[in-house]
Amino acid sequence: MKKFEIDCEFLDNFESLHTRKYYQIDLLQFIDFITQKHPTVECFSRVERTHIIDYKNHLRECEGKNGHSFAPKTISRKLAALSSYFDYFIEKGALTKSNPTSSVKRPRKETRSPTHAIKAEMVELLFSAFESEGEHRHLHKAIIITLFSTGLRKNELI
């Protein structure tokens, strides 16, 4: 296996440009970490479970863009990117051992900041708009209730 390089075929497999971008960033950050902290590890085939745990602990302790440590959700995504990449190598036959991320516990996905929830008065005002007569008022009310009660995004509902 070549020295640390990201195989473009792996990234091209994802339809979402957002996923491609962040998985690439996540993989590059891991490569940066492993080459600095564990210089004897020369390629992905030499990465062990202990290296992944060390990386996870590093992510918990280091500071992100705005001076805060990475959120559990971000750490989980970074580990998911690594896990997918190792699965890709196993599938291609470039890695003969098991995925080193497979038994590494991922952090709980806790919400760090409060949600920007709509105030009760605004909800009442919104529902009062459906009191007027209109051909589709029941449909619109059902859509709003579904959004509020499930937490779906607009695109997911559509």
Side-chain angles (χ1 to χ4, degrees):
M1 188 176 283
K2 296 178 184 176
K3 205 161 174 82
F4 287 107
E5 244 178 56
I6 298 175
D7 189 336
C8 292
E9 182 183 338
F10 169 75
L11 295 172
D12 290 343
N13 192 38
F14 296 100
E15 289 183 33
S16 167
L17 293 175
H18 179 82
T19 301
R20 283 186 207 172
K21 175 185 173 185
Y22 283 99
Y23 269 32
Q24 182 174 20
I25 289 169
D26 295 341
L27 292 170
L28 289 170
Q29 286 176 346
F30 176 74
I31 291 169
D32 187 48
F33 166 81
I34 202 80
T35 55
Q36 287 183 25
K37 186 91 187 269
H38 302 280
T40 58
V41 178
E42 300 167 340
C43 61
F44 281 104
S45 64
R46 298 230 174 132
V47 174
E48 300 288 335
R49 181 177 184 270
T50 56
H51 300 126
I52 303 296
I53 293 170
D54 191 25
Y55 180 60
K56 178 182 77 169
N57 293 335
H58 165 76
L59 291 173
R60 269 197 232 144
E61 296 164 3
C62 75
E63 293 184 358
K65 288 181 192 174
N66 42 357
H68 303 294
S69 59
F70 289 107
K73 185 176 179 180
T74 303
I75 295 171
S76 289
R77 188 203 67 230
K78 290 178 181 301
L79 293 175
L82 281 173
S83 180
S84 292
Y85 201 47
F86 282 111
D87 283 343
Y88 167 77
F89 279 136
I90 291 168
E91 185 181 301
K92 299 253 323 170
L95 191 65
T96 54
K97 61 181 182 175
S98 64
N99 186 333
T101 65
S102 63
S103 61
V104 176
K105 301 291 182 219
R106 296 185 187 169
R108 294 174 143 219
K109 294 181 182 178
E110 302 164 357
T111 303
R112 280 226 172 149
S113 60
T115 59
H116 301 288
I118 190 169
K119 295 192 183 333
E121 300 83 35
M122 292 300 291
V123 174
E124 289 174 15
L125 184 63
L126 183 61
F127 283 121
S128 70
F130 298 114
E131 300 304 320
S132 63
E133 294 197 24
E135 185 179 344
H136 301 291
R137 74 177 189 271
H138 296 298
L139 173 65
H140 294 157
K141 188 173 184 178
I143 289 171
I144 296 300
I145 289 172
T146 302
L147 288 171
F148 278 131
S149 61
T150 63
L152 288 173
R153 294 182 178 107
K154 177 185 71 171
N155 289 341
E156 294 169 331
L157 180 67
I158 291 171

